[in-house]
Amino acid sequence: MTVRYLERIEEHAGTDTWYLDPDRCGGGCVADNGPNAFDLVESLLGPAEAVAAHVTRDAAGTDRQAGITLRAGDARARVLLDWSHPGERKDVEVRTADGAVLAVDMLAGHSEFKGSLWHEYVGVLADFERRVRDGLVEDPGGPSALRLVGDAYRLAGERTREGVG
């Protein structure tokens, strides 16, 4: 499986420069787009663990690009994140055991800039409403995505110290 979240972050952030300051916002593409991609992987493949990561940072220290490899059972997933990509690409490609390739463009049908975000927000709000109404507190997806973000940063740091990254 390959999951891509590629965009030029300045097009999304506009004049909100705090978005590009990891000390103020907590990180770059891994912290921002990573949880979405990791949640998608786990939704399709089940619980995952990060096994490798490479992160490229700009002069300010903001992670602009990352490649993270996850393992979920016998399956592997590559998560590719890029905040310097011209335009926007968000897609998933799955190669099945019999060699078939299945692909989904998550921006399909949303030609307006940032148009794909509105259906995401509707889903997030509907889930929040359901959780409040039903008294649901536990959400294994959130903590797992945060764990994978931390693991990706940790693995990328280890690779750099070893002279590989």
Side-chain angles (χ1 to χ4, degrees):
M1 168 184 272
T2 300
V3 177
R4 291 178 196 86
Y5 272 73
L6 317 176
E7 61 192 349
R8 179 123 180 105
I9 195 59
E10 289 83 357
E11 293 174 359
H12 287 272
T15 59
D16 292 335
T17 57
W18 69 270
Y19 221 78
L20 299 171
D21 181 351
D23 290 335
R24 292 177 66 199
C25 69
C29 66
V30 175
D32 183 57
N33 296 122
N36 301 325
F38 300 150
D39 186 57
L40 181 58
V41 168
E42 290 194 316
S43 292
L44 297 173
L45 300 180
E49 64 177 312
V51 295
H54 176 78
V55 172
T56 301
R57 297 178 189 280
D58 63 17
T62 303
D63 41 301
R64 298 290 297 212
Q65 295 157 325
I68 300 118
T69 303
L70 304 178
R71 183 176 53 226
D74 293 334
R76 287 206 180 261
R78 285 185 326 148
V79 172
L80 303 175
L81 309 171
D82 190 340
W83 269 9
S84 298
H85 182 79
E88 185 176 28
R89 179 178 181 183
K90 294 179 182 173
D91 62 7
V92 180
E93 184 177 288
V94 177
R95 185 173 308 274
T96 64
D98 65 1
V101 177
L102 309 170
V104 174
D105 177 355
M106 294 186 284
L107 299 176
H110 301 281
S111 58
E112 177 186 349
F113 179 66
K114 291 189 180 184
S116 67
L117 295 176
W118 296 111
H119 78 277
E120 291 179 32
Y121 295 149
V122 168
V124 167
L125 290 172
D127 184 59
F128 179 74
E129 178 185 20
R130 181 182 58 83
R131 289 177 178 283
V132 169
R133 183 182 58 246
D134 297 344
L136 300 174
V137 176
E138 295 299 318
D139 178 7
S144 182
L146 291 177
R147 174 184 51 81
L148 291 168
V149 166
D151 290 348
Y153 282 129
R154 182 182 53 77
L155 287 166
E158 288 175 5
R159 290 177 53 122
T160 301
R161 282 194 301 277
E162 295 169 1
V164 178

